[in-house]
Amino acid sequence: DIGHDPFDLDSLTAVDSEEKMIEWIHESGKRFRRLVAGLCAVLDWAEKEESIDPKRIGIVGFSTSAPVATVLAGVDQRIAGSINFADVVLFHEVLAEATEPRVKRARELIQKWPGSWKKTLTIAKAVYKPISPMRFAGKLNPSKTLYFDAEFDEYITRGTREKFWRASGKPERVTCYSGHKDCFLTLTPLGFFSADRKIIEFFRKKL
C-alpha cells in the first residue's frame, strides 16, 4: 500500500525488486486517477450545498498533490481558480533526474537490476504521461492560476518548471529561492506566512 499520496517516496525506497517497482508505478497511477475522480465527486456535493457558491470554487495543490489539482482544474470547468505549489510535473522525469536522496536511492537500486532501468522508465512513461499535468496545462485559465516554484528544487528541473509555466499560459508566478521542501516554510511562521497571504489575496481577487 503506498498510502494516500500517489507518489509516496517513503514507500518507494522500500521497493526491493523489479516486480515490486512495476507494481508501485501502476498502483500510484491508479491512485492518482482515483484522487481526481474523488475530487470530482466532492464538486458534485459542493454544487448542492446552499452555503457554497459553485462559481467561486478554487483548488490548491502542494507538491505531489499539485498534479492532481492541475489535472482537475484542466478537466473540470467547475474549478474557477487554482493554486499550483511546487508541482511535481512529470514523475517519470523525477524518477530519472531528481537529486532528492530517496529518489536517488531508488534509482540506484533499479540500475543494479540487469535491464531494469530502461524497462522501468518505459513503463513509468506509459503510466504517467496520460495523467501528466503537462498534458492539461493548456486547459488552465492563466488569469485564474497562481504558480509557485522553487529555484533550487531537488525534484523538478528548471527546464521542466519553465516548460510547464509556459504551457500554462504564463500565469502569475512566485519563485521561492530555496529547495523544494524549504519552499513550504513560506506557509509557516518561519516564512512569515508569505505564501498564505498571497494565496488568500489571489483567491479574493480572482474568485
Side-chain angles (χ1 to χ4, degrees), residues 137 142-143 145 147 162-173:
S143 69
T145 302
Y147 177 49
E162 190 71 18
K163 184 178 179 181
F164 177 72
W165 176 67
R166 291 180 182 278
S168 302
K170 298 182 179 180
E172 182 179 345
R173 183 177 185 176

Side-chain angles (χ1 to χ4, degrees), residues 1-197:
D1 185 0
I2 64 171
H4 298 292
D5 185 347
F7 308 129
D8 180 8
L9 297 180
D10 289 328
S11 68
L12 176 63
T13 59
V15 170
D16 58 5
S17 70
E18 179 184 299
E19 182 181 0
K20 289 183 180 179
M21 175 60 69
I22 293 171
E23 180 183 348
W24 187 95
I25 291 170
H26 281 293
E27 179 56 32
S28 70
K30 291 176 184 177
R31 192 174 294 274
F32 186 98
R33 293 175 186 274
R34 287 198 294 269
L35 283 170
V36 173
L39 287 171
C40 286
V42 171
L43 291 175
D44 292 340
W45 166 82
E47 282 188 313
K48 300 173 184 177
E49 286 294 305
E50 293 183 0
S51 61
I52 297 175
D53 184 346
K55 295 181 180 179
R56 301 186 68 208
I57 296 175
I59 189 168
V60 184
F62 299 96
S63 189
T64 53
S65 71
V68 178
T70 298
V71 171
L72 183 68
V75 300
D76 199 314
Q77 298 302 311
R78 292 176 293 182
I79 297 295
S82 62
I83 310 287
N84 186 304
F85 202 108
D87 196 329
V88 181
V89 180
L90 298 170
F91 194 70
H92 55 278
E93 283 192 4
V94 172
L95 189 61
E97 301 176 3
T99 59
E100 197 275 339
R102 291 171 296 176
V103 182
K104 284 182 68 177
R105 285 198 299 271
R107 181 167 61 241
E108 290 167 359
L109 181 62
I110 299 168
Q111 289 172 338
K112 291 180 181 178
W113 304 328
S116 290
W117 180 239
K118 185 176 181 179
K119 179 180 178 181
T120 299
L121 279 187
T122 299
I123 292 172
K125 288 179 182 179
V127 170
Y128 296 125
K129 272 196 171 182
I131 55 176
S132 166
M134 201 71 80
R135 284 194 63 203
F136 299 90
K139 296 183 179 181
L140 301 177
N141 182 344
S143 69
K144 298 291 184 71
T145 302
L146 177 60
Y147 177 49
F148 288 84
D149 67 335
E151 179 67 19
F152 307 108
D153 202 302
E154 306 93 328
Y155 299 87
I156 316 152
T157 66
R158 182 179 298 175
T160 296
R161 297 196 312 270
E162 190 71 18
K163 184 178 179 181
F164 177 72
W165 176 67
R166 291 180 182 278
S168 302
K170 298 182 179 180
E172 182 179 345
R173 183 177 185 176
V174 179
T175 298
C176 305
Y177 288 89
S178 67
H180 186 91
K181 292 181 180 179
D182 286 347
C183 186
F184 290 88
L185 293 176
T186 59
L187 297 162
T188 74
L190 292 175
F192 304 102
F193 298 108
S194 58
D196 302 70
R197 293 198 300 271

